[in-house]
Amino acid sequence: MSTEARRAPFPPRPADDPAPTDPAAQVEDEPSVFVPRRPLERPRETRPPVPEARITTPPPPPPASARFPDAPPAPTPAETTTRLRPVPAGPEPAVPVPPPPAWSPAPAPDPALSWNAPWPVGAFGQPEPYEEPVRGPGPLARLRGRTGVAAVCVVLGLGLIGGALAGSWLTGEDGDRTADSGFAAAGSLWHNVPVDQLFPPTVQGTGAGPGGADRSWTRIAVAPDTGCAGAFDPLLARALAPVGCARLLRATYTDATQTHVTTVGLLFTKADPAAMTGLAARFRNERLDRRTDLLPLPYAAKGTPAAGFGAKQRASWTVSVLTDAPIVAFAVSGWADGRTVDTPEPAPDAVRSGATSAPAQAGLGNEAQGLADRIQRKLRQTVSPATEKPS
């Protein structure tokens, strides 16, 4: 199909219109290749016409005479509107008011509701049951309740007392009483306990010598129990004066070779625990047990190795103030041959390792310290059975 077939025909040019002389103004019969072509138009589809819908109106129903020939004709409805009557223009009639009811006295009370009414009788001639109102507990019940409360209070009181006793035992109050009794019992040992129990004839000192060597001491003299006069240096006697002097016991021992002699003493004071504690603190704080002018004097018995044991022969000593007993324990040692010592040395210093003094080299510090410790141990063993309670 050519382009001309799809082209609409041009209308005829009028005759009086002159032909264009400009060749450029002429239009080519054939379309230019530079003009875009229109897409081909598809022919429209032809559909058959839709028939018009016809609306049919149903015929009216036949009359009742036609359907029911024998039925009488339907009556024609009459007008039912009620006409209002005219209202006269005069005054409105008064509406009658009924008179108030006449006063009558109140009815008399029902005798059945009074307090003197007879007891109600049931259907079978028996009095109807009477429900007693709920009341509080009677006197007996209240007494029982009070008794129970009192019993509970007693039990609680006993429990509190028992708890207090247990608490006092746990906190040491009972121990304090035991300590007080032990303190008092220790103060009376000087006339209740034999001398052989306080100062045994033989005392074993395992490991008490220099280098842990064993020692053995034998008692050679016992001084009579006397006062404290002439038993201490003047300054030591003044330091011990606050606690008083009840009795002084002394005994002198010698070692197995009879080379050394040692006097052990027990001073029973008149002080209470507080005074003994204060004295012990003073000795500890002021170091009174290490002063060479505060020494105890030895007991020199004639006819014994300690016959020449005097104040100038004292080589080492120790003083212990006990706080669990009214006792001051002490010991002083020296040579049995009567040699003199210019400067005595306290036992704690003489037993130290590396001490080079003559008392330390000879073991006189061990003699005084070891024998004093064992006499104190024996003393506590004697006090303990006296304060133990029977089980």
Side-chain angles (χ1 to χ4, degrees), residues 45 56 107 121 139 157 192 202 206 216 250 253 264 269 271 283 338 346 360 372:
E45 298 180 359
T56 58
V121 180
N192 294 334
T202 303
T206 304
S216 177
R250 292 180 295 176
Y253 288 81
V264 183
T269 69
F283 265 73

Side-chain angles (χ1 to χ4, degrees), residues 192-380:
N192 294 334
V193 178
V195 64
D196 290 345
Q197 192 170 350
L198 292 177
F199 300 114
T202 303
V203 178
Q204 299 296 330
T206 304
D214 296 339
R215 279 290 186 269
S216 177
W217 299 281
T218 303
R219 188 184 67 191
I220 58 177
V222 175
D225 53 336
T226 60
C228 298
F232 307 101
D233 285 347
L235 293 180
L236 181 57
R238 187 181 304 176
L240 297 176
V243 295
C245 179
R247 188 65 60 174
L248 178 63
L249 304 181
R250 292 180 295 176
T252 301
Y253 288 81
T254 184
D255 63 339
T257 61
Q258 296 186 355
T259 304
H260 306 140
V261 288
T262 304
T263 297
V264 183
L266 296 175
L267 168 62
F268 289 85
T269 69
K270 302 177 181 179
D272 56 3
M276 296 301 296
T277 302
L279 182 63
R282 182 186 177 189
F283 265 73
R284 181 176 59 254
N285 296 334
E286 299 180 14
R287 302 174 64 89
L288 299 182
D289 56 343
R290 297 174 182 269
R291 291 179 53 174
T292 57
D293 54 350
L294 301 175
L295 273 68
L297 293 173
Y299 174 66
K302 297 180 180 180
T304 65
F309 188 25
K312 295 183 179 181
Q313 283 73 32
R314 296 175 296 183
S316 184
W317 84 99
T318 178
V319 178
S320 299
V321 180
L322 307 184
T323 57
D324 53 351
I327 297 174
V328 177
F330 60 91
V332 57
S333 61
W335 278 278
D337 55 3
R339 73 181 70 177
T340 60
V341 179
D342 296 334
T343 305
E345 186 176 14
D349 296 339
V351 298
R352 287 187 308 179
S353 177
T356 58
S357 62
Q361 294 292 332
L364 291 174
N366 298 87
E367 297 286 327
Q369 188 70 56
L371 191 56
D373 290 345
R374 280 148 182 83
I375 294 298
Q376 293 181 40
R377 188 180 308 170
K378 188 66 175 178
L379 175 66
R380 287 188 170 90

